[in-house]
Amino acid sequence: MRASQYFISTLKEAPSDAEVVSQKLMLRAGFIRKVAAGIYSYLPIGLRVIRKVEDIVREEMNRAGALELTMPLVQPAELWDETGRWEQMGAEMLRFKDRHQRDFALQPTSEEVVTDIARQELKSYRQLPKNFYQIQTKFRDERRPRFGVMRGREFTMKDAYSFDRDAAAAGRSYDAMYAAYCRIFDRLGLTYRAVAADTGAIGGDRSHEFQVIADTGEDAIVYCPGSAYAANIELAEALPLLATRAAPGKALEKTSTPGRTTCEEVAKLLGVPLATTVKSLVLATDDVDDAGKPAGVTVWLLLVRGDHELNEVKAGKLPGLKAGFRFATETEITERFGCKPGYLGPVGLNKAVKVVADRTVANMADFICGANEADFHLTGTNWGRDLPEPDLVADLRNVVEGDPSPDGMGRLAVQRGIEVGHVFYLGTKYSQSMNATFLDEDGKPKHFEMGCYGIGVTRILGAAIEQNHDARGIIWPDAIAPFRVVVCPVGWGKSEAVRDEAMKLYETLLAGGIDVILDDRDERPGVMFADWELIGVPHRVVIGDRGLKEGIAEYQGRRDAEAAKIPLAELAAFVGSKLQPAA
Amino acid sequence: MRASQYFISTLKEAPSDAEVVSQKLMLRAGFIRKVAAGIYSYLPIGLRVIRKVEDIVREEMNRAGALELTMPLVQPAELWDETGRWEQMGAEMLRFKDRHQRDFALQPTSEEVVTDIARQELKSYRQLPKNFYQIQTKFRDERRPRFGVMRGREFTMKDAYSFDRDAAAAGRSYDAMYAAYCRIFDRLGLTYRAVAADTGAIGGDRSHEFQVIADTGEDAIVYCPGSAYAANIELAEALPLLATRAAPGKALEKTSTPGRTTCEEVAKLLGVPLATTVKSLVLATDDVDDAGKPAGVTVWLLLVRGDHELNEVKAGKLPGLKAGFRFATETEITERFGCKPGYLGPVGLNKAVKVVADRTVANMADFICGANEADFHLTGTNWGRDLPEPDLVADLRNVVEGDPSPDGMGRLAVQRGIEVGHVFYLGTKYSQSMNATFLDEDGKPKHFEMGCYGIGVTRILGAAIEQNHDARGIIWPDAIAPFRVVVCPVGWGKSEAVRDEAMKLYETLLAGGIDVILDDRDERPGVMFADWELIGVPHRVVIGDRGLKEGIAEYQGRRDAEAAKIPLAELAAFVGSKLQPAA
């Protein structure tokens, strides 16, 4: 490609509403233009990156035996009614009526349509396994679209759905997708981690997120440097930090803590470590009787150490909280604790409050907690002596850096990540609700065992940039750079020697199948270099009269601090040697 | 590809709501499945064809210097308001509100968004010409979606938009697209015709439709076998069939024609040729005064020969009708003609009716027309003698087979076609309404001269099938066949020799870069052959034990009446020689 015939449109400054670095750089480098909140046009150079990502995804999906199809973007309500998701999906699913007043949605995902295809087309176990995928526009009407392509409303997703005879076969489909995803993210040239994730109501242990590592990531991911253990923060198990409970060493005392409503404030006032305090969180469940009628409210006191954080996903798995919980209202709290929030604790409660202690809290002695009296806390509190044992002991908290790894192989580390892929075992959730069956070898109808597998294609652009950039701009991995090599002639308009040498290199690289752009715009070197560093082309060759006199050109990798002088005769071969293996 | 690992899902019968042959065959061959009216999933084998079409379109667009980008499917009302099209577009444009009650539409086309990109990005004449295109999902909420992918609601379109300095440059962009379209449809292997089309309010002569020739086409297209003249029926000029007007030969007579309200009935009753009769059509225009207030109704009598048809597009170009017309109501007709419809004519009218005669009618003598009295017609009617000369003579009718070609090069022929592409010169319609300008060489802002260029990607599948099918199924052109060659082993499960020879051919063809499928499903020959004939693979090789004993296999082209016996040693080379040039 020659730049004069292409479309390069860089900006000195990003629009003021751009929030994160990838968004700013994509706007400045001319990859995207905003059309509405969370809705972008992809200019040619941005689309070029998307196509490279799509090609890698497609090749690896095909290699794994998946079959590409396309399901419609506009989907009828009837199918979504069958699974109950027409009602369950929130406002993220954009619903509308067509000219005949029939209900439709813009697809945020396609479980319903693909299950409908399977129940029509896959009649026999002989046709299984099957894995159907599409690479296609999706729409999610985010309440607050932001971060450019990272949380847009219209985006491109690869979504795949596997259909299997039984859970064991579904496991093999899952493993094949997991392996394909590893190949995809390897080929994309990104540093990533596959982490175990929560499976919610489906259960089982087959859910992994593929996270691109970046300090700016929204997700906290947990791993053990000494083992293969990796999980997202919602799932990562927190072992008790105290193996056993020490004997009481202090007397229970009521201490004045006026206006100190947080553990931090109390610890500071009393001059004690935060880890000697216990935090009280009050949840509520709305009970129903056997007939499904409201039957009062149960209040739950959850206790985590003062320096720990409640993990709501873990709380949601507790018996009694599984069906759904909420934070208690101030009225409910005052009624059960006789005290307003800020001074609550587990001592002196009647049976109307269920007390759940985190594993670490359950082994604490001489701890500090609220006194259930405004402006007072208790110190020297001890289980058994000052209050009954908790009703339940459970893992309630987020792990923190340095916690022991659940596999006993060392201590956990925490990183930030950007979720770009997810593999998920669905079981028979959709095949049961849509009555999608096949005839098994025994002649009996069975529900398909399903899995779903997503990759956020456009989001990968943002994640790649969050991971790979510097003050000058983007640093694309070779495999998804809009161009792998840029040839920058200095003095294109003036020097025939420069033009000849630049054209020669350009044509040699092109002939070698290398995706190269020749900057024949006749811009000053400063403008050229700034543009290509912003755009993030990984390899640059500069050809100028001064170098030609010495018989050299300059090569500089986008991450290199300095340029290397390369004899002209070796130039094309040298550039070839610098390229990462062709994707 | 091996069929056992692919997804072949053919049906014996098409669903009963399928109307046209392409729709029936695409459903039966497993290319599409209906999800809602006019909304389809593309199964893997159908998507395969779409991808081949897209690839050819993309390659030729790129070759012509156009740049691919992607504009959003969900577009904000604000941009459409700028051109007035938010109001003007009919119910085909699906409009909805997002969760924040802002107005959006699903894009049926993208002039507004691309013009917005141009006014932001193209600041200088130095950046021109530019041609941006996308290959993307479109949505048009057709009142009556039908004919499968031919008139669907969700479909894939390639839409391109050119931006130029002036009309001359825009003409060059137009010509480049016209040439690219010819290359595209040539490569697709379709019989097509580029026909001049009406330019509506834009004017000028730069609008061509690309029509795939098929007897089942919705459009009538007109061409001159002796020259390059070709136009759609709306535009094709009808010359007068009578060079001069003969002198009156008969007296004017009022003839009883009880209950005969059509020219056909009158001609039959009177035993005269239909071409001696004149058909009366009454239109009305709602006049407005200088202040834009309603100012009465003008009634127009349009006359075409009894065997001709009124062309409403041509009528809409008449002075006085340009601003819009409608058919007159029965009340308006009775008021002006003193007679109900069925017996109307141009004789004895007062000045309140404007009479427009088709060029042929204006030269007729002794013609028959309504007497403006129920159950009566006039015979022997003559201009000048029996009634004043018409207020206006114009081309008002559709041409018919055998009419003289407007270029004087012979007689016109009429074919049916399916519109699959359109190139259109837009002028400054959009750049003016959106104030999209660039700085020209003289330092002054100028409005872009634009063109737009569409190709109905998914519709091409339907058109190709309407043009190429037989009783057994589809006959794909090589370039867009889902597979170019199918290898059918007879007795795959039983005969090792068959398996070996089939695998050998399959692998040889694959290694030669030929898109081949091996039918290793171990089906009976009848089932295999019926499937592949239905699916429309253009080249088939059958390998069976009987042939192997003679050292031959059978080759049959999809259009061939009989199979040819080919020695095994020559098989791969023979198949290669049969393939149409690689696309």
Side-chain angles (χ1 to χ4, degrees):
Chain A
M1 185 60 70
R2 293 175 65 155
S4 62
Q5 287 153 29
Y6 201 60
F7 181 66
I8 310 291
S9 185
T10 55
L11 304 173
K12 284 248 182 320
E13 300 286 340
S16 58
D17 62 347
E19 296 164 285
V20 296
V21 67
S22 58
Q23 184 184 13
K24 289 177 187 172
L25 290 175
M26 287 180 79
L27 286 160
R28 286 190 53 210
F31 287 72
I32 56 173
R33 290 295 178 253
K34 184 172 162 182
V35 177
I39 298 177
Y40 293 87
S41 288
Y42 289 87
L43 297 185
I45 201 164
L47 183 61
R48 215 173 155 90
V49 179
I50 292 178
R51 291 271 183 261
K52 292 195 178 189
V53 174
E54 288 178 349
D55 285 348
I56 290 174
V57 170
R58 182 174 287 120
E59 282 173 28
E60 294 301 335
M61 290 301 293
N62 291 348
R63 191 195 306 269
L67 298 170
E68 189 176 5
L69 46 59
T70 300
M71 292 175 276
L73 190 78
V74 174
Q75 301 190 346
E78 290 74 16
L79 284 173
W80 290 79
D81 271 337
E82 288 192 50
T83 60
R85 292 211 296 177
W86 183 261
E87 295 300 327
Q88 287 159 25
M89 297 289 280
E92 280 74 27
M93 186 158 89
L94 200 146
R95 299 163 174 86
F96 52 83
K97 289 180 188 296
D98 74 358
R99 66 191 290 163
H100 299 302
Q101 300 305 307
R102 293 197 200 92
D103 285 310
F104 285 87
L106 285 186
Q107 68 149 311
T109 172
S110 271
E111 281 83 1
E112 280 77 1
V113 172
V114 80
T115 305
D116 183 50
I117 289 174
R119 72 181 166 184
Q120 291 179 62
E121 305 292 333
L122 305 176
K123 315 274 193 199
S124 158
Y125 72 95
R126 285 192 200 88
Q127 291 171 278
L128 303 181
K130 278 284 177 296
N131 186 335
F132 294 120
Y133 78 99
Q134 60 179 352
I135 300 178
Q136 203 222 30
T137 305
K138 296 278 183 299
F139 197 90
R140 286 189 193 163
D141 198 4
E142 297 277 353
R143 177 190 300 275
R144 231 193 108 203
R146 54 192 168 141
F147 306 158
V149 300
M150 302 272 274
R151 190 171 294 280
R153 294 200 283 176
E154 186 171 321
F155 57 95
T156 302
M157 192 167 122
K158 187 283 299 174
D159 44 328
Y161 307 88
S162 63
F163 295 87
D164 277 286
R165 281 178 77 174
D166 52 35
R172 290 190 292 274
S173 291
Y174 184 97
D175 293 341
M177 280 296 102
Y178 185 103
Y181 274 40
C182 290
R183 285 195 299 271
I184 288 167
F185 293 107
D186 285 342
R187 284 185 58 185
L188 291 173
L190 299 173
T191 304
Y192 69 96
R193 205 177 276 284
V195 303
D198 186 46
T199 51
I202 305 281
D205 60 353
R206 293 199 158 267
S207 168
H208 285 86
E209 293 168 356
F210 284 75
Q211 297 267 359
V212 167
I213 306 305
D215 293 342
T216 52
E218 279 193 298
D219 295 342
I221 58 181
V222 177
Y223 66 102
C224 177
S227 75
Y229 183 83
N232 69 12
I233 194 89
E234 284 78 29
L235 185 71
E237 185 182 0
L239 297 180
L241 297 182
L242 303 166
T244 54
R245 189 192 295 166
K250 295 182 183 171
L252 182 69
E253 277 184 41
K254 196 165 94 178
T255 307
S256 172
T257 53
R260 273 51 167 205
T261 60
T262 68
C263 288
E264 287 77 5
E265 290 167 342
V266 171
K268 193 177 169 197
L269 176 75
L270 303 182
V272 296
L274 189 55
T276 62
T277 65
V278 166
K279 198 187 296 186
S280 295
L281 299 122
V282 188
L283 306 182
T285 50
D286 298 297
D287 304 324
V288 290
D289 65 16
D290 292 346
K293 298 257 170 69
V297 169
T298 302
V299 169
W300 303 71
L301 176 63
L302 271 60
L303 301 171
V304 296
R305 206 169 71 177
D307 57 337
H308 287 156
E309 278 181 2
L310 177 68
N311 180 315
E312 291 183 38
V313 171
K314 291 177 179 176
K317 292 179 182 168
L318 296 177
L321 294 179
K322 271 183 194 167
F325 65 85
R326 57 182 172 80
F327 282 89
T329 64
E330 188 153 343
T331 308
E332 286 166 344
I333 289 172
T334 312
E335 201 179 291
R336 311 288 173 120
F337 290 82
C339 171
K340 64 178 180 179
Y343 306 94
L344 306 179
V347 178
L349 296 177
N350 65 30
K351 281 284 161 200
V353 176
K354 298 240 183 208
V355 177
V356 188
D358 177 64
R359 288 163 164 179
T360 296
V361 171
N363 280 352
M364 285 170 74
D366 298 331
F367 60 85
I368 297 168
C369 61
N372 292 325
E373 185 178 337
D375 297 331
F376 285 95
H377 280 77
L378 298 176
T379 62
T381 316
N382 282 280
W383 294 106
R385 186 190 74 182
D386 306 322
L387 75 168
E389 294 292 334
D391 294 309
L392 191 65
V393 175
D395 174 12
L396 288 186
R397 67 174 178 95
N398 289 336
V399 298
V400 293
E401 184 95 26
D403 277 354
S405 177
D407 64 2
M409 302 291 281
R411 301 209 161 268
L412 293 175
V414 178
Q415 284 179 313
R416 306 301 300 181
I418 299 164
E419 187 189 342
V420 289
H422 199 161
V423 291
F424 201 101
Y425 169 58
L426 289 170
T428 55
K429 176 177 156 74
Y430 292 94
S431 58
Q432 292 221 5
S433 58
M434 295 183 68
N435 199 27
T437 60
F438 63 97
L439 285 185
D440 209 350
E441 203 159 5
D442 58 10
K444 291 185 185 149
K446 296 223 172 89
H447 289 107
F448 296 104
E449 286 279 344
M450 292 173 58
C452 68
Y453 316 94
I455 288 182
V457 171
T458 37
R459 183 181 252 207
I460 282 174
L461 275 64
I465 296 172
E466 293 290 336
Q467 185 179 82
N468 302 285
H469 67 273
D470 62 15
R472 291 170 295 158
I474 303 167
I475 310 172
W476 288 110
D478 269 37
I480 56 174
F483 300 96
R484 295 178 83 182
V485 180
V486 59
V487 176
C488 293
V490 174
W492 173 265
K494 282 181 240 156
S495 164
E496 196 178 330
V498 164
R499 276 201 302 279
D500 287 349
E501 200 61 45
M503 280 303 293
K504 193 173 117 191
L505 177 62
Y506 171 65
E507 285 170 355
T508 306
L509 293 176
L510 264 194
I514 293 167
D515 189 17
V516 55
I517 187 162
L518 169 68
D519 192 344
D520 58 352
R521 295 176 299 166
D522 201 24
E523 292 281 4
R524 286 175 295 112
V527 172
M528 266 197 294
F529 299 167
D531 273 355
W532 296 113
E533 285 171 352
L534 175 58
I535 289 168
V537 172
H539 307 277
R540 183 179 78 195
V541 178
V542 179
I543 293 172
D545 274 324
R546 199 178 313 174
L548 291 185
K549 280 177 199 152
E550 301 173 40
I552 59 109
E554 290 193 344
Y555 165 87
Q556 189 164 3
R558 180 64 182 80
R559 290 184 193 274
D560 297 348
E562 305 220 340
K565 297 184 176 188
I566 312 298
L568 293 173
E570 298 162 26
L571 193 53
F574 181 85
V575 171
S577 76
K578 283 290 183 178
L579 302 184
Q580 289 164 33
Chain B
M1 184 62 71
R2 293 176 65 157
S4 61
Q5 287 153 31
Y6 201 58
F7 181 64
I8 311 291
S9 185
T10 54
L11 304 173
K12 283 248 183 320
E13 299 287 339
S16 58
D17 61 348
E19 294 163 286
V20 294
V21 67
S22 59
Q23 182 184 15
K24 288 177 187 172
L25 289 175
M26 286 181 78
L27 286 161
R28 285 189 54 209
F31 286 73
I32 54 174
R33 289 295 179 255
K34 184 172 163 183
V35 176
I39 299 177
Y40 293 87
S41 289
Y42 290 87
L43 297 185
I45 201 164
L47 182 61
R48 215 171 156 92
V49 179
I50 291 178
R51 291 272 183 261
K52 293 194 177 188
V53 173
E54 287 178 351
D55 285 348
I56 289 173
V57 170
R58 181 174 288 118
E59 282 173 29
E60 293 301 335
M61 290 301 293
N62 291 347
R63 191 195 307 268
L67 298 170
E68 188 177 5
L69 46 59
T70 301
M71 292 175 277
L73 190 79
V74 174
Q75 302 190 346
E78 289 75 16
L79 284 173
W80 289 79
D81 271 337
E82 288 192 50
T83 60
R85 292 211 297 176
W86 182 260
E87 294 300 328
Q88 286 159 25
M89 297 289 280
E92 279 75 29
M93 186 159 90
L94 200 148
R95 300 162 173 87
F96 53 83
K97 290 181 187 294
D98 74 358
R99 64 189 292 163
H100 300 301
Q101 299 305 307
R102 293 196 200 94
D103 285 311
F104 286 87
L106 285 187
Q107 68 150 309
T109 172
S110 271
E111 281 83 1
E112 281 76 1
V113 172
V114 81
T115 305
D116 183 51
I117 289 173
R119 72 180 167 186
Q120 292 179 61
E121 305 292 332
L122 304 177
K123 315 274 193 200
S124 159
Y125 71 95
R126 285 193 201 85
Q127 290 170 280
L128 304 179
K130 278 285 176 297
N131 186 335
F132 294 121
Y133 77 99
Q134 60 179 351
I135 300 177
Q136 203 221 30
T137 305
K138 297 279 181 299
F139 197 89
R140 285 188 194 163
D141 199 3
E142 298 276 353
R143 179 192 299 276
R144 227 192 113 205
R146 55 195 168 138
F147 305 157
V149 299
M150 303 270 277
R151 191 171 293 281
R153 294 200 284 177
E154 186 172 320
F155 57 97
T156 301
M157 191 168 123
K158 187 283 298 173
D159 44 328
Y161 307 88
S162 62
F163 296 87
D164 277 286
R165 280 178 78 174
D166 53 34
R172 290 190 292 274
S173 292
Y174 184 96
D175 293 340
M177 280 296 101
Y178 185 102
Y181 274 39
C182 290
R183 284 195 299 273
I184 288 168
F185 292 107
D186 284 343
R187 284 185 58 185
L188 291 173
L190 298 174
T191 304
Y192 68 96
R193 205 177 277 282
V195 302
D198 186 47
T199 51
I202 305 280
D205 61 353
R206 294 200 157 269
S207 169
H208 284 87
E209 293 169 355
F210 285 75
Q211 297 266 1
V212 167
I213 306 305
D215 293 341
T216 53
E218 279 193 297
D219 296 341
I221 60 181
V222 176
Y223 67 101
C224 175
S227 74
Y229 183 84
N232 68 13
I233 194 87
E234 284 80 28
L235 184 70
E237 185 182 358
L239 298 181
L241 297 182
L242 303 167
T244 55
R245 192 193 293 166
K250 294 184 184 170
L252 182 71
E253 276 185 43
K254 197 165 97 178
T255 306
S256 171
T257 52
R260 274 47 167 211
T261 60
T262 67
C263 288
E264 286 79 5
E265 289 167 341
V266 172
K268 194 177 168 199
L269 177 72
L270 304 181
V272 297
L274 188 54
T276 62
T277 66
V278 166
K279 197 186 295 183
S280 296
L281 299 120
V282 189
L283 306 181
T285 50
D286 298 296
D287 305 324
V288 290
D289 66 15
D290 292 346
K293 297 257 169 67
V297 169
T298 302
V299 168
W300 304 70
L301 175 63
L302 272 60
L303 302 172
V304 296
R305 205 170 70 179
D307 57 337
H308 287 155
E309 277 182 3
L310 176 69
N311 180 315
E312 291 184 37
V313 172
K314 291 176 180 177
K317 290 178 182 168
L318 296 178
L321 293 179
K322 271 185 193 164
F325 66 85
R326 56 181 173 81
F327 282 88
T329 63
E330 189 154 343
T331 309
E332 286 164 345
I333 290 172
T334 312
E335 203 177 290
R336 312 287 172 120
F337 290 82
C339 173
K340 64 178 181 181
Y343 305 94
L344 306 180
V347 179
L349 295 178
N350 63 32
K351 281 284 161 198
V353 176
K354 300 242 184 208
V355 176
V356 188
D358 178 63
R359 291 163 163 181
T360 296
V361 171
N363 281 353
M364 284 170 76
D366 297 332
F367 59 86
I368 296 167
C369 60
N372 291 326
E373 185 179 337
D375 297 332
F376 285 95
H377 280 77
L378 299 176
T379 60
T381 316
N382 282 279
W383 296 106
R385 187 189 73 181
D386 307 322
L387 73 168
E389 294 293 332
D391 296 307
L392 191 66
V393 175
D395 174 13
L396 288 185
R397 68 173 178 95
N398 289 335
V399 299
V400 294
E401 185 96 24
D403 276 354
S405 177
D407 64 2
M409 301 292 281
R411 303 210 161 266
L412 292 175
V414 179
Q415 285 180 314
R416 306 301 299 181
I418 299 164
E419 186 190 342
V420 290
H422 199 164
V423 293
F424 201 100
Y425 168 58
L426 289 171
T428 56
K429 175 176 155 76
Y430 292 94
S431 58
Q432 292 221 8
S433 58
M434 295 184 69
N435 198 27
T437 61
F438 63 97
L439 285 185
D440 208 349
E441 203 160 6
D442 59 9
K444 289 184 186 150
K446 296 223 173 87
H447 290 107
F448 296 104
E449 286 279 344
M450 293 173 56
C452 69
Y453 316 95
I455 288 182
V457 171
T458 36
R459 182 181 251 211
I460 283 174
L461 274 65
I465 295 171
E466 292 290 336
Q467 186 178 82
N468 302 283
H469 66 272
D470 62 14
R472 289 169 294 158
I474 303 167
I475 308 173
W476 288 109
D478 269 38
I480 55 174
F483 300 95
R484 295 179 83 183
V485 181
V486 57
V487 177
C488 293
V490 174
W492 173 265
K494 281 181 240 151
S495 163
E496 198 178 327
V498 165
R499 275 199 303 277
D500 287 350
E501 200 62 42
M503 280 302 294
K504 195 173 117 192
L505 177 62
Y506 171 65
E507 285 170 355
T508 305
L509 294 175
L510 263 193
I514 293 166
D515 189 18
V516 56
I517 187 161
L518 170 68
D519 192 345
D520 59 350
R521 296 176 299 166
D522 200 24
E523 293 280 3
R524 284 174 298 112
V527 172
M528 266 197 295
F529 299 167
D531 274 353
W532 297 112
E533 285 171 351
L534 175 59
I535 288 168
V537 172
H539 307 276
R540 183 179 78 195
V541 179
V542 179
I543 293 173
D545 273 325
R546 201 179 314 172
L548 291 184
K549 277 176 202 152
E550 303 172 38
I552 59 109
E554 291 192 346
Y555 164 86
Q556 188 163 3
R558 179 65 180 78
R559 290 185 193 272
D560 298 348
E562 303 224 338
K565 295 185 176 187
I566 312 298
L568 293 173
E570 298 162 25
L571 192 54
F574 180 86
V575 171
S577 75
K578 283 289 181 179
L579 301 185
Q580 289 163 31

